[in-house]
Amino acid sequence: MLSINSLKIFCLSVGLIFSLNSYAEMETISIVPTAFYSYRDFEYSVGGAGGVQGAINSLGAGVTVIYQQFYLDIAGEENPRASEEETNNLLFTNTVDFDRRDLTLSFGYAINEAISTFIGYKYGKSTITARPDSPFAGEEISLTGDGVFIGAGGVWSVRDWGFISFSAAYAQLDSTYRDLTVDTVKGDATGTSLSVKWKAPITENLFYDLSLIRHDYRYTDFDKIESDISEQILSLRLGLAYRF
């Protein structure tokens, strides 16, 4: 998606608990800052009749705190430069700038050495801005979603090379849509996120990971517009994490 989510699925550290615990005792508290780069292919459409489709280069950062079988994770991600894209059947015609911002907070629990569950809160905002060559130059369409998600994941070691993990989540969000004709309207959103991650150590405390993340969200029940809005984001992410 343009998931609204921006979300990792959503910056979740499923698999992080166990890969780190291979090197540290669970009775200690571990603090793990993370930085990552994402190439995100997105699609934003209104009423299934077209919209914006393109790619975003995003940067993100976060921190995970791990204690025994529990972890707390917070992370944010956004594209530092707007993505210039063509539109189709949107309020704005011609070329637009597209921006995406995400923030997630999640709390997880390891059921055993292979399975964990998590709950959390996420915020995501997509912004479409008409470029100077448009008759609506500077005008914006924005879509915001925030709410809770719940999910589960599993992790498996691959010899002594590293770990592969999988996670899935479902989100229930409140949404806000705004453009130059209807101003601000409220609605609801539901969505799913799927993530596959490879994580391996570079040194005893430094790790890299490569993730493939898919977000699918649908925004409905707006109080002033009839069309539903859908967002999809497929992300390829490369991250570095250091355990203190």
Side-chain angles (χ1 to χ4, degrees), residues 173-225:
L173 310 174
D174 296 323
S175 61
T176 303
Y177 173 84
R178 185 176 183 217
D179 67 30
L180 71 165
T181 62
V182 299
D183 194 22
T184 300
V185 296
K186 299 292 186 178
D188 300 313
T190 58
T192 59
S193 296
L194 301 173
S195 173
V196 178
K197 177 188 290 187
W198 167 257
K199 178 181 285 289
I202 299 174
T203 66
E204 182 176 352
N205 294 315
L206 181 65
F207 301 82
Y208 79 90
D209 63 76
L210 184 65
S211 305
L212 185 65
I213 306 164
R214 171 76 177 186
H215 300 286
D216 289 275
Y217 283 82
R218 189 169 186 83
Y219 301 85
T220 60
D221 299 327
F222 291 106
D223 52 17
K224 295 181 183 178
I225 59 176

Side-chain angles (χ1 to χ4, degrees), residues 6-8 10-13 34-36 59-64 72-78 101-106 121-123 237:
S6 168
L7 165 251
K8 306 174 185 182
F10 306 112
C11 200
L12 297 170
S13 299
T34 303
F36 55 89
L59 296 176
V63 62
T64 304
L72 180 68
D73 181 280
I74 184 170
E77 178 179 8
E78 68 177 313
R101 178 179 298 176
D102 292 280
L103 178 68
T104 62
L105 174 67
S106 59
Y121 166 85
K122 74 178 298 295
Y123 165 89
R237 177 175 298 165

Side-chain angles (χ1 to χ4, degrees), residues 25-31 64-68 243-244:
E25 292 296 329
M26 292 185 72
E27 285 74 16
T28 64
I29 296 177
S30 295
I31 299 175
T64 304
V65 179
I66 303 167
Y67 177 69
Q68 295 185 359
R243 177 179 62 86
F244 289 95

Side-chain angles (χ1 to χ4, degrees), residues 103-125:
L103 178 68
T104 62
L105 174 67
S106 59
F107 175 78
Y109 172 75
I111 298 173
N112 54 40
E113 292 186 355
I115 303 297
S116 62
T117 60
F118 51 84
I119 59 173
Y121 166 85
K122 74 178 298 295
Y123 165 89
K125 183 177 182 180

